[in-house]
Amino acid sequence: TNNQLTRVAAAAREMTAQTEAAAGSMNLLRAAVGGYLSLQGAKGVTEMADAYTNLQNRLRLITDGQAQLAQATDAVFNIANRTSQAVGTVAEVYQRFGQNAKELGLSQRQVAAVTDTVAKAVAISGASAGGAQAALTQFGQALASGVLRGEEFNSVMEQTPGLAAAIAKGMGVTVGELRALAAEGKITAAALIQALGKAAADVDQQFNTRIKTVGQSFTELQNSLQKFVGEAATTSGASKALADTITLISDNL
């Protein structure tokens, strides 16, 4: 019994030491995040909080109630970080698909799935962060208009060949033939969703072989910080309080 109690006491001490080490690591993490935000300054933190608020407002247009909004927000951030894309542009694509969801009979889960395929196809294209963001923005604008063609089509072809290849494969044509379909206005939102669904498995296979760049990792960090700051500001009410105070000053000048 004495031997067993000695072992229990030793295990308890080890667990305590591990807990203290974990707490120390969390303190280091908090210090690192705090230091980074300090470098960003008040303006940088405010911009992150505003970006999070704008993202939520964008998603409110295609969701019903707080539960759906929370689900959509989590989906967008998860897709953005999993594919190393800027969360704002992923949110735009998600919103555009969401606006077509009712007409095309898509569930919120299907909207997330097709957005995920688009983001992965962009990730395997080897585009720069700026190029990927520009192509995703143009793609989102094409979804808003209901058809991919013209300047939006050219941007996708030039900046994100992986996305162009996925669309072509899903539509059963070559990338060269895709241009003719675009000119004829046949790459509609409905056609895109169907094509991307067919190409999803192939895109997943290629995506799983990619090697992440340092720049992409920094994009993920920026996304996570935006979520961290945005949720903190929303939970505490600090962002709304600051905005209301500035509005009050403006109204009374």
Side-chain angles (χ1 to χ4, degrees):
T1 302
N2 186 54
N3 288 338
Q4 290 297 327
L5 287 172
T6 300
R7 290 195 188 98
V8 169
R13 285 194 298 273
E14 176 65 21
M15 188 168 64
T16 301
Q18 289 178 2
T19 303
E20 288 173 350
S25 297
M26 288 303 296
N27 286 333
L28 286 173
L29 177 60
R30 280 197 294 270
V33 172
Y36 182 85
L37 294 177
S38 295
L39 287 174
Q40 293 290 305
K43 184 175 183 293
V45 173
T46 301
E47 286 174 352
M48 286 186 203
D50 283 349
Y52 184 84
T53 300
N54 289 334
L55 184 148
Q56 292 254 288
N57 287 336
R58 182 185 289 277
L59 296 178
R60 279 190 178 90
L61 297 173
I62 57 167
T63 54
D64 295 319
Q66 195 61 35
Q68 275 195 15
L69 175 62
Q71 186 179 350
T73 301
D74 283 344
V76 166
F77 272 100
N78 287 339
I79 292 167
N81 267 11
R82 189 162 57 243
T83 60
S84 310
Q85 303 301 324
V87 69
T89 50
V90 171
E92 181 176 358
V93 172
Y94 186 98
Q95 179 202 359
R96 301 307 185 189
F97 277 129
Q99 287 171 333
N100 289 286
K102 191 170 292 185
E103 179 184 343
L104 300 173
L106 297 177
S107 66
Q108 195 169 0
R109 185 187 297 273
Q110 289 171 310
V111 168
V114 72
T115 303
D116 184 64
T117 299
V118 170
K120 285 177 178 175
V122 171
I124 63 178
S125 295
S128 65
Q133 191 165 348
L136 278 172
T137 299
Q138 295 276 24
F139 186 78
Q141 290 171 356
L143 290 173
S145 68
V147 62
L148 178 62
R149 60 184 170 190
E151 185 181 340
E152 289 87 0
F153 175 80
N154 290 335
S155 179
V156 169
M157 288 287 285
E158 293 166 13
Q159 303 280 4
T160 54
L163 179 55
I167 296 169
K169 184 176 181 64
M171 295 187 75
V173 298
T174 66
V175 174
E177 292 170 334
L178 202 61
R179 192 174 293 279
L181 292 179
E184 295 168 11
K186 292 184 177 179
I187 310 180
T188 62
L192 280 170
I193 289 169
Q194 187 175 14
L196 290 166
K198 290 179 180 178
D202 189 61
V203 170
D204 283 345
Q205 187 176 9
Q206 293 181 59
F207 179 78
N208 290 335
T209 65
R210 75 161 183 154
I211 299 174
K212 192 185 299 182
T213 66
V214 175
Q216 289 172 334
S217 296
F218 271 110
T219 298
E220 294 170 15
L221 174 63
Q222 194 70 20
N223 291 342
S224 297
L225 282 169
Q226 185 186 126
K227 190 170 191 283
F228 175 78
V229 171
E231 287 182 345
T234 301
T235 302
S236 66
S239 184
K240 184 177 184 302
L242 178 58
D244 289 346
T245 302
I246 294 171
T247 300
L248 181 65
I249 294 170
S250 175
D251 290 344
N252 286 279
L253 276 175

